[in-house]
Amino acid sequence: MTEKIRMCSRMMCRREASCTLTYAYSQSTVVIGPLATRVEPHAYDMCTFHASKLTAPRGWDIVRVDGEGSPVMPEGEGIAEASPVGMDNAATVPDNVTNLHFLRGLGPRSS
């Protein structure tokens, strides 16, 4: 069986996708994590270049999640104010995104 290469969803980009972007609208958060195991209708595959250059709308936060499911590089004022001492995975990655990544096979479901 031949594995199909997934491309970046940005218009005119011809790079191979390496990340998946999802939105948690209720928490005004953009989450960029490892490439999902399957294509989802409300998620966007992105190349490393576009994922690193991504900016969020004013008032939104960006959470970058590594392959282990833990936040890597939070951005935005909301996350910094919510957890100034340390980053807690459950506090920074919204539940609906954590569950979506679990369904994709990217890690254990957090309680």
Side-chain angles (χ1 to χ4, degrees):
M1 178 182 230
T2 307
E3 185 176 324
K4 185 176 178 180
I5 295 174
R6 290 165 41 193
M7 304 305 287
C8 181
S9 61
R10 294 292 302 255
M11 187 177 277
M12 303 300 290
C13 182
R14 296 178 185 258
R15 296 180 186 99
E16 186 175 344
S18 61
C19 307
T20 297
L21 175 139
T22 53
Y23 293 100
Y25 293 98
S26 62
Q27 287 91 2
S28 300
T29 303
V30 177
V31 180
I32 302 172
L35 189 63
T37 56
R38 64 178 187 241
V39 177
E40 296 288 334
H42 300 291
Y44 302 91
D45 295 338
M46 300 185 83
C47 65
T48 304
F49 175 79
H50 283 116
S52 67
K53 301 289 184 193
L54 182 85
T55 59
R58 178 173 281 165
W60 283 55
D61 297 315
I62 297 178
V63 176
R64 298 180 191 274
V65 181
D66 67 6
E68 303 300 316
S70 59
V72 178
M73 185 175 25
E75 298 175 7
E77 298 174 11
I79 292 175
E81 293 171 5
S83 55
V85 177
M87 298 302 294
D88 181 18
N89 186 25
T92 58
V93 180
D95 289 338
N96 61 331
V97 175
T98 302
N99 292 338
L100 181 62
H101 280 275
F102 171 75
L103 293 172
R104 293 179 181 161
L106 296 177
R109 181 180 293 197
S110 63
S111 301

